[in-house]
Each structure stands twice: as structure tokens, then as C-alpha cells.
Amino acid sequence: MVETLLKHASSSSRFTVLGSRLLDEQIKRDLKFIVHFLRDHHDPKLGELAGIWLGGSYGRQEGAVYRTAETEKPFFDYDLFLIYQPGYQPRSLYRKYRIWEKQLKDKVSLPVDLRAAGSVAEIQRLPKRLIWYDLAQSHQSLWEKQPIRAGFASDAPFAPEQALALLLYWGGILIPLARAEVLNSNAVYQWYRVVQSLGDACLIAEQKYHSSCQERVRQLSQWQRAAGLKWGRELDYLYQEATQYFLQPSDSDAEKKQLRQRTSQLIKLFLNVYLYLFERFTQVPADLGDFERLFLNPQRGLNLPLQRLLKRFRPTAIARRLLPDADAYRLYYLLPFLLQGGVPPQLMLDQICPEIQQEFSLEQLELYFQALWASIQDQLL
């Protein structure tokens, strides 16, 4: 699937796998305009700009190319990371970024996502989180006042909780996605991002993650063949399909309808990966059909393996800011029940969410979950 697509790859493109030289020139013009805009609009009082990096798919030369019979164009967005001299003001800059993104919207081909990567010193000791790992491994410098090199605070491999954090983040996206009667273009993007997160979570758990999506396709195929899991081939196939979508997206009504019909399949695959990680980290066999027995001991409350697993969510292990352990517990615990359209037994809710009143409906529980998820979502990736 992806291998067939990559036979048409362009060796000369700086930003995409499948784009032409003309598309490259269009992207270069966009990025040149953005860099000039950002340098002209920066207020030195908020921070002295030291560098502008292109991250994301275009930064690693895997940007999306949308084709019609007449044209080709870039797709999704440009991810720009800004680096500062010490003493910058991230909160004030965050507000500025949102204004500048709106101003740039009609000036270039794609939406622009602006993010502060930190100071010149901070960029040399990044935390081992996916967003910073991908940036350090695969980016393109668009402008630097002086040469800047990225590095990590530790040589340790990814901590396993990164895999769990991926599931919590994209599980929070999948719940409303599963309830949607019709999928729009953004929902198609989310559908495939959920698929991608499942493969990435397995690769992180096995210490095989790579910043290149093409390399991850190869690593996942090798891993699933060696692991021999019943659902591994299905994940492999969907992961390749998702990668193809992110390299060369489509936007047909037929595809949206087809994906909506396959959402139950995606939920089952999500739950299989969820249980795989549970077994991987606790060494306790897990059964897809009985989450109640897996999580709850009627005499002692929560099973010890679950408690040990969730202790991996230490504050600083996932994010620089505090991630409340209790919030991670609740999200992780409620997720499989809500994905299956069910409400956990009250005894389990009493253990995890004592503030929840008796006889909470499914709709009320989903609202509770989404509010909790929204409060910590930025700390999960």
C-alpha cells in the first residue's frame, strides 16, 4: 500500500515525499513570507527571537500533497517553532501567536501553528516527549540568529508512560468521534490520527519509535510479524492506510461514509492495544470482554496491577507541568467503558470518582470525562 505510493516519491523535494518542484517553490514562498512576518511583528519586550524552525511533517520532508486532476497543493498546516534568548515571556507570546495565526491565515497556502520551543539553552535539554523528540530529530531551520542545536535532558529511551499518554489523548478524541453520525473532513483527519497513535504507542512500548512516519511503517510491520498478535495484521494494515492518507490525503464523501462504518472496528482495535499495553506493563493477562474483573477486586477495590500501572504517571514524567495522578487514573479507567458505550459499576466509580453521584447516565459520564480530558490534554503529548 504505502510501498506502492512511495515508488512515485520525489527525491528532490525539500518538504514532501510526493510533491513536485513547483509545489516545493510554493511552500518556500509561504515559509519566506511567514519568517518575514514573524520577525517584523515580534516585540523585543516579550522576547528576543533567536530562531525559527519548521517542524511537523513538512519539517521532516513528509508533508501532505493534495492532488486533483488539475492541481496539487500542500495540505493540513505548517508547524512553526520559535526559539528565544533567555527571558522571554511565554504567556504573552501565546496570546500573540493566536493573533498572528489569524493574520497569516489568508496570506499563505495553509493554516500556521505557532509554538514557543523555549530558549536557546532550553532547546539543548528538551524533555523526552513525542513533540520535542520529533522536533529535535527532524526539523528545518528557516532562520537563526546564531547556530542552534537541539538536545535532550537525558539519554534514557522513551518512558513507557508516553504510550499510555498517547492512548489517553486520542481516546478522548475517539469517544465523540464514535458518536458522530456523519464524519466531516476534520473527523477523517482525527480518525487516521487515532490509528497512527495506536501504532506509535506500540512502537514506544517496544522502544522502536522513529520520527519518520515511513520508518515507523517498516518498524511496525516487522514488530507485528514477530509478535504474532491476532490484531497485529489489522493494525499494520490500518497504520499503512493512515500513513498514505497523511502523505497524500483525499477528501471524498465516499471515504467519510466508509470510515464512519469502520469506526466500531477502530474502537475494538483501540481496546486491544489498550489491553496489550496493560499486559506489557503489568505482566497480568487481560481479557477484552471483562474490564470489570480486570480492574476491580470486590474485597479490596482497585486491583494492584492497575494501581502499579497508573503510578507510571508521575508528575514531570509526562510534562514539565504537573499532571495530577488522580486525573490520569480517572481518564485511563473510564476510557474503555465509554468507548464501549457503557457505564462502569457504581463500586468502581466510588473508588475512582467519588464526586460522581449515584446513577450517572452515560451522557453525564461522557461530559464528565470530556471536561477532565480537556483540562489536561495539553500535558499528554
Side-chain angles (χ1 to χ4, degrees), residues 75-245:
F75 209 67
F76 301 130
D77 59 12
Y78 295 130
D79 296 296
L80 276 293
F81 292 82
L82 287 77
I83 305 165
Y84 294 88
Q85 299 295 349
Y88 70 103
Q89 300 180 34
R91 289 186 179 179
S92 298
L93 285 167
Y94 177 86
R95 291 191 290 271
K96 286 288 186 182
Y97 290 169
R98 305 293 81 83
I99 295 171
W100 294 341
E101 287 168 354
K102 291 179 181 178
Q103 292 173 340
L104 286 165
K105 186 176 181 180
D106 298 325
K107 305 294 185 182
V108 294
S109 306
L110 295 180
V112 178
D113 183 33
L114 301 174
R115 182 188 292 256
S119 69
V120 174
E122 290 169 338
I123 205 74
Q124 297 176 28
R125 53 177 189 274
L126 293 168
K128 267 288 180 68
R129 292 173 60 196
L130 276 185
I131 185 173
W132 303 123
Y133 177 83
D134 287 344
L135 179 67
Q137 297 296 320
S138 304
H139 67 267
Q140 297 189 43
S141 175
L142 303 180
W143 175 82
E144 291 178 1
K145 191 171 184 179
Q146 60 190 36
I148 302 171
R149 292 189 62 183
F152 298 105
S154 169
D155 293 331
F158 274 123
E161 57 264 23
Q162 286 288 325
L164 301 178
L166 264 183
L167 287 195
L168 292 189
Y169 183 87
W170 289 104
I173 298 291
L174 181 55
I175 289 174
L177 199 61
R179 308 293 183 259
E181 295 184 2
V182 179
L183 299 187
N184 57 24
S185 297
N186 185 57
V188 171
Y189 171 88
Q190 293 175 334
W191 202 98
Y192 281 121
R193 285 293 283 122
V194 172
V195 172
Q196 201 173 53
S197 75
L198 298 181
D200 290 349
C202 292
L203 292 175
I204 290 170
E206 300 297 332
Q207 300 296 333
K208 296 180 183 294
Y209 183 84
H210 195 279
S211 60
S212 165
C213 69
Q214 299 171 78
E215 180 59 28
R216 294 202 301 275
V217 166
R218 287 187 279 269
Q219 291 289 343
L220 187 69
S221 291
Q222 292 174 9
W223 168 75
Q224 71 86 10
R225 285 195 297 269
L229 299 166
K230 292 181 180 179
W231 46 267
R233 290 182 65 183
E234 181 183 14
L235 175 60
D236 186 12
Y237 179 86
L238 284 178
Y239 195 83
Q240 291 191 50
E241 184 181 326
T243 302
Q244 179 171 319
Y245 169 80

Side-chain angles (χ1 to χ4, degrees), residues 264-281:
S264 59
Q265 173 193 7
L266 179 58
I267 290 173
K268 185 174 181 180
L269 185 60
F270 189 103
L271 294 172
N272 274 310
V273 173
Y274 181 105
L275 290 177
Y276 165 74
L277 293 178
F278 184 95
E279 290 183 343
R280 179 76 168 73
F281 296 145

